[in-house]
Amino acid sequence: MPDFFADEAQCIEALFRNGLQYLHLRKPKASAEEYGALLRQIAPCYYDRIVLHDHFELLERFPLKGVHLNSRNPQPPVGWCGHVSRSCHSLEEVETYKPHCDYLFLSPIYDSISKEGYGATFTPEALIQAKREGIIDEKVVALGGVKAEYLPDVNAYGFGGAAFLGYVWHPFVQDGLEKGIENFSAILEKI
């Protein structure tokens, strides 16, 4: 979720307890101090499952999983030898960056839930062809408008996984912890 919300750390810990593999911490307008304040509220046992999109200097204070590269932060910290993932918005970017990353996000696969006017970029035919060519494989994660009911298609396209933003976070923000976990559990049942 790009904005902070009440009880966010509690929601994050509940997601981890209920099967969340990794959390990508992405708050483009937040300061390093705000990131740090949220991280301090999360139990350290979950740090090795959190990936930063911004403020990589926090890796000196928090033993997190790694960094996620994007247009704001296109390079890992100097000397960084840990986990690296990256956002990609074209199949060409996937081909370029895949050898240098643990995994990549490719988006938007479907019309975005959290970003108004951010529509799907790829046709089903293009995704199937990319799978045939080995561009989409287990190192490529589908992002953008992904919902539980789309998971069979995500699998058929050859993605190694799916990342969720609005579909997971909106129930927490709008309806609270219990509804958020109920929604997340429904996603896990489709996997």
Side-chain angles (χ1 to χ4, degrees):
M1 192 76 178
D3 299 310
F4 294 98
F5 62 94
D7 301 320
E8 186 169 2
Q10 181 184 2
C11 294
I12 290 169
E13 288 187 357
L15 283 169
F16 281 132
R17 284 192 306 272
N18 283 277
L20 181 66
Q21 185 175 8
Y22 301 123
L23 173 80
H24 278 249
L25 188 53
R26 179 189 172 274
K27 298 188 180 289
K29 296 177 184 173
S31 69
E33 291 76 23
E34 291 169 314
Y35 263 66
L38 176 61
L39 288 167
R40 282 189 296 280
Q41 294 176 50
I42 298 169
C45 64
Y46 297 120
Y47 286 171
D48 65 349
R49 296 162 67 184
I50 298 174
V51 178
L52 288 177
H53 282 230
D54 297 286
H55 304 296
F56 298 160
E57 67 274 16
L58 292 171
L59 293 165
E60 295 171 11
R61 296 192 340 239
F62 299 94
L64 305 175
K65 177 157 186 72
V67 299
H68 184 85
L69 307 179
N70 51 45
S71 60
R72 292 182 315 282
N73 299 294
Q75 297 294 322
V78 174
W80 178 252
C81 297
H83 170 92
V84 175
S85 56
R86 179 184 276 290
S87 294
C88 295
H89 301 288
S90 72
L91 296 171
E92 293 77 21
E93 284 183 303
V94 170
E95 289 181 292
T96 299
Y97 296 118
K98 192 174 7 173
H100 312 289
C101 295
D102 292 284
Y103 58 82
L104 308 160
F105 288 169
L106 179 62
S107 71
I109 303 304
Y110 301 99
D111 292 345
S112 178
I113 296 166
S114 58
K115 296 179 183 176
E116 194 172 316
Y118 198 60
T121 302
F122 309 94
T123 65
E125 296 78 20
L127 295 171
I128 290 168
Q129 183 61 34
K131 174 186 173 183
R132 279 191 207 115
E133 294 174 7
I135 298 168
I136 293 176
D137 60 17
E138 70 281 345
K139 285 184 72 171
V140 184
V141 175
L143 174 65
V146 180
K147 299 178 180 180
E149 59 264 30
Y150 299 158
L151 291 176
D153 289 336
V154 167
N155 187 49
Y157 297 144
F159 287 100
F164 298 89
L165 193 107
Y167 190 72
V168 166
W169 288 113
H170 286 165
F172 281 103
V173 173
Q174 295 170 354
D175 304 315
L177 181 63
E178 188 175 317
K179 282 290 187 184
I181 291 301
E182 184 180 306
N183 180 63
F184 183 68
S185 296
I187 294 168
L188 292 180
E189 287 175 12
K190 299 272 187 183
I191 295 176

